[in-house]
């Protein structure tokens, strides 16, 4: 897909924007239907694939397939595959790469004690695979281009990951060339109740920034320009990262700039609406 993405990146650059891409491996949550088509596992007869893989043979949910535990050789291949993806992203012109290590995807599955019960090196050091992936990517990703990692800062389950684990992970990632931690949460196990409210994950970003000495991004129920500005200006995070709010309103950044009195470049197609 690199050639097609390169066209998108060129267009974004022509409009004065930077382009970022997220690289992920879904692990035991792979081979599923599109969310708007109901989600859930898809078998080979429907275009899915088997086996899915993970740290152990524990499935994500009762209706999901049993994953194949990854061998040491296969884990080395995972790291190199992430690097190959980063190399394609580099050649396509992307300015930022983010490695997804949250929301119950493969790297998160290795980080959490709830899903990584291996007894080998990757079980004794649950951060090992993430460091190996980061190191492999950093070798090919230009030093001047930011490398981000998205983490679930807590599993919201007793005995799972918590913010203290995340701070230690952030310290290690800083030493391995990661520039910013995107601080999200949850997604490891189905049916976990999370009390969401405006800015409910901002405290994670603030603690990572304060205790790990690593730049952080705040995400989750951040919808108002003044709210976003307060998070950054108050030192709780270095950036605010938007997801669902941009799905609802792709013009949010321009509206936020207008509301906060900040002059930013407008795409040429929209300049007549700037005044």
């Amino acid at each position: 897909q690199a050639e097609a993405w390169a066209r998108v990146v060129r267009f974004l650059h022509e409009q004065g924007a930077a382009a970022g891409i997220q690289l992920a491996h879904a692990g035991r949550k792979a081979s599923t239907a599109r969310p708007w088509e109901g989600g859930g596992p898809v078998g080979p007869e429907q275009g899915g694939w088997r086996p899915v893989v993970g740290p152990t043979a524990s499935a994500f949910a009762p209706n999901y397939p049993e994953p194949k535990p990854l061998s040491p050789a296969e884990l080395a291949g995972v790291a190199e595959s992430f690097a190959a993806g980063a190399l394609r992203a580099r050649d396509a012109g992307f300015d930022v790469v983010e490695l997804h290590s949250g929301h119950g995807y493969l790297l998160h599955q290795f980080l959490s004690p709830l899903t990584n019960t291996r007894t080998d090196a990757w079980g004794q050091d649950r951060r090992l695979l993430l460091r190996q992936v980061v190191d492999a990517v950093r070798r090919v990703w230009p030093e001047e281009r930011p490398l981000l990692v998205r983490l679930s800062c807590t599993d919201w389950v007793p005995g799972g990951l918590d913010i203290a684990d995340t701070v230690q992970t952030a310290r290690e990632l800083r030493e391995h060339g990661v520039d910013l931690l995107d601080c999200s949460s949850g997604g490891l196990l189905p049916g976990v109740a999370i009390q969401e409210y405006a800015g409910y994950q901002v405290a994670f970003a603030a603690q990572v920034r304060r205790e790990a000495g690593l730049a952080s991004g705040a995400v989750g129920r951040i919808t108002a320009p003044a709210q976003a500005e307060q998070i950054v200006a108050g030192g709780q995070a270095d950036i605010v990262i938007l997801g669902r709010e941009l799905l609802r309103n792709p013009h949010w950044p321009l509206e936020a700039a207008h509301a906060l009195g900040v002059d930013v470049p407008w795409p040429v197609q929209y300049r007549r609406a700037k005044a």
Side-chain angles (χ1 to χ4, degrees):
Q1 299 171 333
E3 183 178 349
W5 277 119
R7 293 177 57 204
V8 175
V9 171
R10 286 194 297 270
F11 177 77
L12 292 172
H13 287 167
E14 288 167 1
Q15 308 309 311
I21 191 167
Q22 188 181 79
L23 303 178
H25 187 316
R28 68 179 191 165
K29 295 179 80 173
S31 191
T32 59
R34 299 177 181 91
W36 53 91
E37 293 177 351
V42 173
E45 68 283 355
Q46 301 167 297
W49 67 86
R50 295 292 182 272
V52 298
V53 297
T56 71
S58 176
F60 172 64
N63 61 324
Y64 276 67
E66 179 181 296
K68 174 187 177 296
L70 286 160
S71 69
E74 289 169 326
L75 289 170
V78 167
E80 291 309 313
S81 291
F82 270 98
L87 192 60
R88 287 189 287 269
R90 183 199 71 182
D91 294 343
F94 280 99
D95 304 286
V96 177
V97 156
E98 178 175 83
L99 307 177
H100 202 328
S101 186
H103 297 175
Y105 295 154
L106 182 68
L107 299 178
H108 184 185
Q109 292 161 29
F110 272 83
L111 281 175
S112 177
L114 297 176
T115 45
N116 184 356
T117 56
R118 296 169 69 113
T119 57
D120 63 3
W122 288 268
Q124 294 168 12
D125 180 357
R126 290 180 279 105
R127 300 182 182 95
L128 176 58
L129 179 60
L130 177 56
R131 292 199 308 272
Q132 290 174 326
V133 168
V134 166
D135 288 344
V137 169
R138 193 76 268 188
R139 282 195 296 269
V140 301
W141 187 246
E143 186 176 351
E144 68 275 10
R145 301 188 202 180
L147 174 60
L148 281 56
V149 170
R150 166 165 269 205
L151 284 185
S152 284
C153 295
T154 177
D155 290 328
W156 299 109
V157 176
L161 291 178
D162 58 23
I163 186 59
D165 292 309
T166 297
V167 167
Q168 182 56 39
T169 300
R171 289 172 179 153
E172 295 186 19
L173 293 178
R174 182 194 63 207
E175 297 301 317
H176 286 257
V178 170
D179 297 296
L180 182 139
L181 200 69
D182 175 355
C183 298
S184 189
S185 69
L188 183 74
L189 302 176
V192 176
I194 301 175
Q195 185 180 358
E196 297 186 11
Y197 52 87
Y200 72 104
Q201 296 174 143
V202 173
F204 301 143
Q207 191 165 344
V208 164
R209 190 174 190 266
R210 182 176 65 251
E211 297 182 12
L214 181 64
S216 67
V219 64
R221 301 290 183 184
I222 299 170
T223 59
Q227 176 194 12
E229 175 66 12
Q230 184 180 28
I231 290 167
V232 175
Q236 295 173 283
D238 295 272
I239 61 172
V240 162
I241 299 168
L242 302 180
R244 277 173 278 186
E245 186 61 19
L246 285 180
L247 296 177
R248 287 187 284 264
N249 178 10
H251 301 291
W252 191 96
L254 294 177
E255 293 180 4
H258 179 74
L260 297 171
V262 178
D263 186 25
V264 297
W266 281 52
V268 294
Q269 301 92 331
Y270 297 107
R271 286 178 185 167
R272 293 187 66 186
K274 184 177 180 180

